[in-house]
Amino acid sequence: MKQITVVIVGMGFGKEFIPIYQRHPAIKRVGICTRNRKTLDELKAKFNLDEDLLFTNYEDVPKREDVDAIHIVTPVPEHAKMTLASLNAGKHTACTIPMAMTVEDCAAIVAAKRKANKVYMMMETALYTREFLYGLHLAETGQLGRIQFVRGSHIQDMSMDGWDEYWKGFPPMLNGTHAISPLLRINNTKAESVVCHGSGRLSEDLAKRYNAPFAVETATFTLKNSDVVAEATRSLFDVVRQYRESYDVYGTKMSFEWEQLQDEEHVIFDGGENARRINVPDTDAMLIPEIAHFTKREKIDDPNHVSFLQGAGHGGSHPHLVQEFLAAIVEGRDSAVDAHIAANYTCAGICAHESAMNNGKRINIPDFEK
């Protein structure tokens, strides 16, 4: 098996990936990059990391010939430039969501990936949660019947302590992939066009930061080669609700609805007025044995990190992301969330925000596969 040296960049929830990579049989060495030297030293001791793979300056990472892959887990504004630097240096590249903040940067990353002929993967946790993988299995085995409608939401309070300053006033759909990508993946398609409406108003201080006034943005998407319409809603500030990152799917034989409250249990509808609550099974059996246990919530190293407090542990998705990224490298294939797919998922949200800012004008979403 090909042995891979990977460097993880960003030690917020990025540090959760260190032990997963270390346990994977395809990994030769794991390095980390963060600007905080104290954090580097603490993680070096905790995970027995090699000194020569500790970085405080990201620009040094792509220059290293012995680094095969870079996994970027940094603030959103840094994603595009770091991804481009990695791909342009000939490194396999994984990046947390979103791919970028503009259509132009998404297009540049798609082009760079093709030129580099390396693996790119957007590490979208929503596509690997136990809840989504359960619904995807229902769809792929025909248990849902013909899908008629899908709906997603991502609602959270980013005024909580722990979020970076740049999040304040961030337009909801500008980073909409958690709400959008499951709707597209379960229909095995891409978004073609969007109409989005803004609702409510942010406080003046928040609204002026991005010149974006809306507290909530709700979009409807037409899908490629499909008669299904997808609906997604996102809010980040000035809306009171428990965190919810959800998808609902309605079929001719069965429907699935996300729980209203965390740990309340989801609902299956299977005909007439029948409804039953279910505990979605864990997905450890889908993983190689060495990393299967990382699907469990108790394996989260820092459960008090705001991303996990609000995201319920990301649904056990982290080992799935690592397994798919490394498998694509070893097998010499594109990842399941390759650049052209990630660009569609990301630009669906970017175009949705553009639509909201233009009174619900229909916006065509670029086709990055051409």
Side-chain angles (χ1 to χ4, degrees), residues 130-145:
R130 60 185 67 86
E131 295 86 358
F132 178 73
L133 291 173
Y134 177 81
L136 184 63
H137 174 73
L138 295 179
E140 292 181 338
T141 57
Q143 294 179 68
L144 294 176

Side-chain angles (χ1 to χ4, degrees), residues 226-299:
S226 176
D227 54 11
V228 174
V229 168
E231 174 193 291
T233 297
R234 189 147 198 257
S235 69
L236 302 174
F237 294 93
D238 291 347
V239 173
V240 176
R241 198 204 188 282
Q242 184 187 56
Y243 181 95
R244 191 171 194 246
E245 183 185 313
S246 72
Y247 78 95
D248 302 326
V249 55
Y250 300 91
T252 55
K253 295 180 180 178
M254 182 185 289
S255 298
F256 171 93
E257 284 189 357
W258 194 275
E259 61 194 5
Q260 283 292 314
L261 302 176
Q262 185 175 312
D263 298 327
E264 180 185 51
E265 296 185 345
H266 309 289
V267 182
I268 287 288
F269 302 89
D270 56 7
E273 294 300 304
N274 294 342
R276 53 187 170 87
R277 293 199 178 275
I278 59 162
N279 276 312
V280 173
D282 194 21
T283 55
D284 52 339
M286 301 172 68
L287 293 159
I288 60 173
E290 292 88 343
I291 61 173
H293 63 292
F294 287 105
T295 61
K296 313 297 185 183
R297 282 191 195 178
E298 58 266 24
K299 293 303 295 181

Side-chain angles (χ1 to χ4, degrees), residues 121-132:
M121 182 171 173
M122 184 171 77
M123 305 294 254
E124 173 53 85
T125 58
L127 296 179
Y128 289 94
T129 64
R130 60 185 67 86
E131 295 86 358
F132 178 73

Side-chain angles (χ1 to χ4, degrees), residues 143-156:
Q143 294 179 68
L144 294 176
R146 186 174 69 256
I147 294 176
Q148 302 282 39
F149 180 63
V150 285
R151 175 190 291 121
S153 74
H154 182 192
I155 300 171
Q156 66 186 112

